[in-house]
Amino acid sequence: MFTATIAPVIGLILAMLWVGVRPPRGAVGVSAGVRGFTLVGVGVALVGALIVTLSGNTAYSSVSSPLTWVPGDWLYVAPLVAGIIGVLVLMLPLRRRASTGSAQLTRRTAFSFARRWWLVLAGSLIGIIVVLSLAAGSASSPDELGRYRLFALDAGAAEIRIPIYGWYYALPSLIALALFAGATLVALSVIAHPPLDADSFRDTTVRKERTRNVLGVLVGGLLLHLGTVLAFLGHTGTSSVGVLQGEDVIPIIAPFAAFGPLLWFLGGAASVLGFGCWFEIVLSSVRRPARQRVDAV
């Protein structure tokens, strides 16, 4: 399975190339505590996502591996839950509200230290995920246990059902998605709201760096989740069932079968970019920043 075996490896290679060819983006002045919590938060998120992904199990197939105990149903919500843990850890260490600091002339928001394109990218990914989840959920039908996880195909005298990313998977993921976005907003607020230090220039640079890492965890988790959803829909689109009519076998396929291979490819690409995003944060956090670097985000 591409996502389980190749995507993390390619993501790591891309992250290493990206970090290797670009100047260090870390901000001078980031404390060891901040770097430590960044490594822990993103590391925990990576380990959680890798365990579920490398198990090779999905909602529609399972493989023999040392991680067979990992249910395939976890694959879709795991990147979001891992991302929630990651951004909550990245809030640390909490800053105390000191009585001394620079004057605050304008009110800061959670997005004061974020670049707009990160926010646009995250918002676009959330929109795509919601639209796909609602569309697939609406097209799903219940199985014998009442779980909306099947797609009905009309075969004339009979109805054939194949797995789809239905409400059984989409609803828990949408709840986790909302919690992920909320946790990210809280983390950004915790970073942005305390008064600036006396050295406001350095403090602003450090906060931009921390904000960039939080948004990187968000975008990486969204890409990983989107990759699993697209791969599931690609499987549904490329599935076919042969129905015997007389002496002929008539293949029954999904209405969006023509897009099946494209969905598979886009799902793999999204997973690669998601892992690459998280690996890049880890590699950048252990790399020594350039002393004169001030553009951190």
Side-chain angles (χ1 to χ4, degrees):
M1 181 181 173
F2 175 81
T3 302
T5 58
I6 304 300
V9 175
I10 297 180
L12 176 59
I13 293 173
L14 290 179
M16 294 174 64
L17 292 175
W18 180 261
V19 173
V21 301
R22 291 175 60 86
R25 67 169 177 84
V28 174
V30 174
S31 66
V34 170
R35 291 185 180 277
F37 281 115
T38 299
L39 289 173
V40 171
V42 183
V44 169
L46 266 172
V47 170
L50 284 171
I51 288 175
V52 178
T53 301
L54 293 177
S55 72
N57 297 325
T58 68
Y60 46 84
S61 66
S62 60
V63 298
S64 177
S65 73
L67 299 173
T68 52
W69 56 270
V70 179
D73 294 350
W74 290 6
L75 180 65
Y76 311 98
V77 73
L80 303 175
V81 175
I84 292 172
I85 298 173
V87 297
L88 290 178
V89 175
L90 260 62
M91 287 193 303
L92 304 173
L94 299 176
R95 292 171 56 92
R96 296 180 179 179
R97 290 184 174 274
S99 57
T100 60
S102 62
Q104 181 177 346
L105 302 179
T106 58
R107 183 177 181 273
R108 289 191 300 274
T109 68
F111 309 119
S112 294
F113 299 99
R115 280 196 171 179
R116 182 171 301 178
W117 76 269
W118 276 103
L119 303 176
V120 172
L121 177 58
S124 300
L125 290 173
I126 291 174
I128 293 172
I129 290 170
V130 170
V131 169
L132 289 177
S133 298
L134 294 178
S138 300
S140 64
S141 58
D143 60 11
E144 63 277 2
L145 298 178
R147 301 173 299 181
Y148 280 75
R149 53 187 296 272
L150 298 176
F151 183 62
L153 299 175
D154 185 9
E159 184 180 70
I160 298 174
R161 296 183 177 185
I162 57 178
I164 193 173
Y165 184 74
W167 293 125
Y168 179 71
Y169 309 104
L171 282 179
S173 294
L174 288 175
I175 294 173
L177 177 63
L179 294 175
F180 194 8
T184 301
L185 183 61
V186 170
L188 295 177
S189 299
V190 168
I191 293 171
H193 285 165
L196 292 173
D197 291 341
D199 187 353
S200 60
F201 182 80
R202 185 197 64 84
D203 194 15
T204 297
T205 305
V206 170
R207 295 196 199 199
K208 286 182 177 180
E209 173 75 3
R210 295 184 66 187
T211 297
R212 192 268 184 208
N213 287 337
V214 170
L215 291 175
V217 172
L218 173 64
V219 169
L222 294 175
L223 284 168
L224 288 173
H225 172 66
L226 179 60
T228 63
V229 174
L230 290 173
F232 200 153
L233 296 177
H235 169 80
T236 304
T238 54
S239 298
S240 63
V241 180
V243 176
L244 185 63
Q245 293 187 359
E247 297 182 353
D248 299 323
V249 177
I250 308 299
I252 306 298
I253 60 177
F256 55 93
F259 299 100
L262 177 61
L263 293 172
W264 272 113
F265 174 79
L266 293 177
S271 296
V272 167
L273 293 176
F275 278 115
C277 193
W278 283 3
F279 277 124
E280 189 275 339
I281 298 174
V282 171
L283 296 175
S284 295
S285 296
V286 299
R287 190 181 185 192
R288 187 175 182 85
R291 292 186 177 277
Q292 301 300 323
R293 184 140 180 100
V294 295
D295 184 14
V297 180

